[in-house]
Amino acid sequence: MPQVTEGNLDASGLKFAVLCARFNDFITERLLAGALDALKRSGANTDDIEIVKVPGSWELPLAAKTLAGRKRHDAIVALGAVIRGETPHFEHVAAQAARGLAAVELETGVPIAFGVLTTNTIEQAIDRAGGKSGNKGFDAALTAIEMADLLRQLRK
């Protein structure tokens, strides 16, 4: 039988950065609360969590690259909310945030969990930030924990 390696949801001893966009803060603050809840429930020490606020989702990749370059965190959670409006601005911001965060993750080797909501309506964003669809900030933090633990195992 082949050997299977997978990450565990054990955040003890791991360090995290949580990036949170201030734009649409009525949503992103809920995502942040969910992410912190997941980290704490999984054994993260509050002293091992750094919260960094950025103006919006567009700014997440640069902040993530700067944090990842410091080599102080085992994983980064990126949180934001891009809600479709009447112009193509939504597509540009959402695509570049995703593309930029993926590039930083691959370039630095630091896992970045994508917790940026891209919704058509405010109601959909509310549903995904603690409403009937759960809290995607919580989910993103769980992904960060699992990936940080997996990479710790793979790098041994």
Side-chain angles (χ1 to χ4, degrees), residues 3-94:
Q3 179 180 341
V4 176
T5 304
E6 60 184 325
N8 298 302
L9 293 175
D10 179 8
S12 56
L14 296 171
K15 296 185 184 305
F16 299 90
V18 181
L19 291 172
C20 185
R22 289 192 313 267
F23 195 80
N24 290 322
D25 68 340
F26 66 101
I27 299 295
T28 61
E29 286 298 322
R30 292 168 139 193
L31 296 173
L32 176 59
L36 294 175
D37 184 35
L39 291 169
K40 291 174 189 170
R41 286 176 186 252
S42 300
N45 184 324
T46 54
D47 292 336
D48 292 333
I49 303 168
E50 180 178 0
I51 299 169
V52 177
K53 301 266 182 120
V54 298
S57 295
W58 181 268
E59 290 77 25
L60 289 169
L62 179 58
K65 183 174 182 177
T66 302
L67 287 170
R70 290 159 61 191
K71 302 289 184 194
R72 294 192 330 203
H73 304 98
D74 296 292
I76 297 170
V77 181
L79 305 172
V82 186
I83 302 169
R84 188 178 301 277
E86 297 178 3
T87 68
H89 186 254
F90 168 90
E91 284 85 7
H92 300 298
V93 173

Side-chain angles (χ1 to χ4, degrees), residues 109-123:
V110 176
I112 300 175
F114 190 75
V116 180
L117 299 181
T118 54
T119 63
N120 289 317
T121 67
I122 291 171
E123 292 76 20

